[in-house]
Amino acid sequence: MKAFQIINDDGVSEAIGFIIIFGLVMTGIALITLYGYPMLLQQQSNADVRNMEQTMVVLQNDIKSLCYKSVPYKETSLQVAGGVLTMENATATGKRFNISVIKNDGTINTTELFSPGAFVYTADSQDATLALENGAVIRAQAGGSSMIAEPRWYIDTNNGEKTFVINLVALNASTEMSRNGMGTVRMKLNNSTVSSLNLPKETVAVSYTSTGEFSRAWENYLTGTLKMNKSGDNTYTLGGVDRLIVKKYEVQVLGI
Amino acid sequence: MEKLDNEAQWIVLMGFMVAVAFFFLALVINQSTLVGQTTAEGVLEFPKEEIRDFTAEVATLVDSGDVYAADGTMDEEIRNDIVRLEEVRNNAIVDYSVEKTELSGKTYNKTVFHFNNGVTVYDATVYY
């Protein structure tokens, strides 16, 4: 059999073969550097933001334990990557929440002006801000924001009586703090106050005023989950409320 | 000419398949932290002890008869105290009502419980 075959390897050169293989390898490396590496970095930064979302939910759970479960002190180790975690004092965020009662004769009774304070994470390489404000975890991007974890505000209807419970959580610290890398968030509950108002089927108005980017998230929460009506800019109302309970918690952040 | 030796091509194929399998495994593991977190929260969130505290307190009052005022109706003062305490201490809205009910010739205290802490709503009717 072998005798009949013609072996034609005149055009085979080891040098050309090497150049072709080398060229392929170099092209491969170039493509990976050009497209693969930026994609990898993008993935990394996405993962950082997603990790931070989870960390924010963990911090929110810590705050829940402090406020609703009578736990006096909490600390959580966390890693902040791809951005900076800042703790904004209640006085720094300004009075964002205004809770008032609109009486049936039309007079307005302001019951609470509240500054929440916040944990804010700002990502370095992408447009994402995460915030833990007033017990809610919010993600903001250019032009909008959404709530990742909701605060514990609720409406209880029992025997035809509507009770509206608003939990307000303020974060306070002696100074403003920020963190990049490993850190430990240490928090304790300073004090809590309850105000309970009996209203004969009156309207409760909540308004959220902020220069920040979280108003859309609060709007969706108040009109969506709590089914409040939007009346005017940043003001939301709920009618037919028999009792309004406003609980104010002050959480002291000892360090991050 | 030498015979083309392609007997071991399946090794390359297996390598490729293992790589794909690792990729999917990584995706699944990535999701599992999220699932674990939510499940753990769910268990922590259920206020079993708080509901027990509340129902046990009312049951004690029913047993001792203190739940009724002198005129045989429910004692509103004690009820208001319990409602306020639950509001302040447990961050929960509670309510109960008690009335004497005849059931097959015997008198029972029909007790209706209501508990709501924003996450869990619990309603129960119990005959003591």
Side-chain angles (χ1 to χ4, degrees):
Chain A
M1 286 286 280
K2 221 174 175 179
F4 297 106
Q5 279 186 347
I6 302 155
I7 300 162
N8 185 6
D9 56 359
D10 285 349
V12 176
S13 151
E14 282 184 4
I16 291 175
F18 177 81
I19 289 167
I20 289 173
I21 300 287
F22 187 72
L24 280 171
V25 169
M26 289 312 283
T27 315
I29 292 173
L31 281 174
I32 287 172
T33 317
L34 215 65
Y35 297 107
Y37 190 61
M39 210 166 15
L40 209 69
L41 284 184
Q42 180 69 28
Q43 287 290 326
Q44 180 64 47
S45 110
N46 279 347
D48 285 342
V49 174
R50 264 207 351 234
N51 271 342
M52 207 55 214
E53 275 179 15
Q54 300 251 326
T55 310
M56 282 292 197
V57 173
V58 170
L59 286 178
Q60 185 207 30
N61 279 331
D62 280 359
I63 288 175
K64 274 186 195 164
S65 300
L66 289 172
C67 296
Y68 314 133
K69 291 187 197 297
S70 312
V71 177
Y73 174 82
K74 269 276 186 186
E75 68 175 44
T76 308
S77 294
L78 52 86
Q79 192 185 9
V80 184
V84 183
L85 177 71
T86 323
M87 193 264 145
E88 285 178 14
N89 224 330
T91 46
T93 52
K95 298 199 182 299
R96 291 189 173 177
F97 291 88
N98 184 356
I99 294 152
S100 49
V101 175
I102 303 169
K103 290 189 177 295
N104 289 333
D105 60 10
T107 53
I108 296 169
N109 207 353
T110 300
T111 56
E112 197 67 60
L113 261 168
F114 184 75
S115 321
F119 280 116
V120 180
Y121 168 82
T122 317
D124 283 338
S125 53
Q126 58 175 297
D127 173 34
T129 308
L130 294 166
L132 177 53
E133 182 187 66
N134 198 10
V137 181
I138 300 164
R139 183 184 172 135
Q141 267 165 303
S145 55
S146 62
M147 224 170 242
I148 293 167
E150 295 179 341
R152 198 181 288 185
W153 294 21
Y154 60 100
I155 297 155
D156 175 65
T157 319
N158 181 42
N159 291 334
E161 197 178 77
K162 202 187 221 178
T163 309
F164 187 13
V165 182
I166 296 176
N167 290 307
L168 300 169
V169 182
L171 296 175
N172 260 318
S174 48
T175 63
E176 303 245 323
M177 297 179 243
S178 58
R179 163 71 57 195
N180 188 327
M182 287 294 289
T184 307
V185 175
R186 297 178 295 127
M187 294 184 285
K188 70 172 181 139
L189 184 67
N190 254 6
N191 62 58
S192 64
T193 50
V194 192
S195 77
S196 177
L197 281 176
N198 282 318
L199 321 162
K201 300 251 175 258
E202 287 176 340
T203 302
V204 175
V206 175
S207 69
Y208 176 81
T209 41
S210 156
T211 48
E213 57 269 77
F214 310 130
S215 12
R216 177 65 68 176
W218 280 103
E219 179 182 337
N220 287 342
Y221 173 66
L222 294 173
T223 56
T225 310
L226 293 180
K227 310 251 181 315
M228 294 177 90
N229 298 314
K230 188 171 183 176
S231 62
D233 258 2
N234 297 323
T235 303
Y236 310 91
T237 55
L238 183 75
V241 178
D242 299 288
R243 269 175 79 212
L244 171 68
I245 296 169
V246 179
K247 288 195 88 171
K248 257 168 72 179
Y249 298 93
E250 198 192 307
V251 173
Q252 180 85 25
V253 181
L254 303 164
I256 61 172
Chain B
M1 191 188 172
E2 277 183 318
K3 187 173 158 273
L4 189 66
D5 183 13
N6 58 6
E7 297 264 303
Q9 271 192 355
W10 63 273
I11 293 181
V12 179
L13 193 71
M14 285 308 283
F16 183 69
M17 280 172 72
V18 167
V20 171
F22 268 120
F23 180 74
F24 276 106
L25 212 63
L27 276 184
V28 170
I29 289 169
N30 206 6
Q31 292 297 312
S32 72
T33 44
L34 203 72
V35 174
Q37 163 98 21
T38 323
T39 319
E41 264 173 45
V43 173
L44 278 176
E45 215 55 81
F46 188 73
K48 187 173 74 181
E49 292 301 323
E50 289 166 24
I51 293 171
R52 273 192 189 157
D53 275 353
F54 163 57
T55 52
E57 201 55 52
V58 177
T60 316
L61 287 172
V62 172
D63 283 343
S64 65
D66 291 337
V67 77
Y68 295 110
D71 61 352
T73 57
M74 192 170 62
D75 193 326
E76 288 292 331
E77 234 171 274
I78 291 179
R79 180 177 155 274
N80 287 341
D81 277 353
I82 289 182
V83 168
R84 290 278 137 77
L85 279 170
E86 286 283 340
E87 246 171 58
V88 177
R89 299 290 303 167
N90 280 347
N91 194 53
I93 304 295
V94 299
D95 196 15
Y96 69 87
S97 63
V98 188
E99 57 175 346
K100 289 203 187 307
T101 317
E102 288 274 325
L103 267 184
S104 47
K106 279 190 82 178
T107 309
Y108 287 93
N109 301 290
K110 181 191 175 191
T111 315
V112 180
F113 294 107
H114 173 73
F115 177 97
N116 185 357
N117 71 351
V119 183
T120 308
V121 184
Y122 173 85
D123 284 286
T125 307
V126 180
Y127 292 85
Y128 286 109

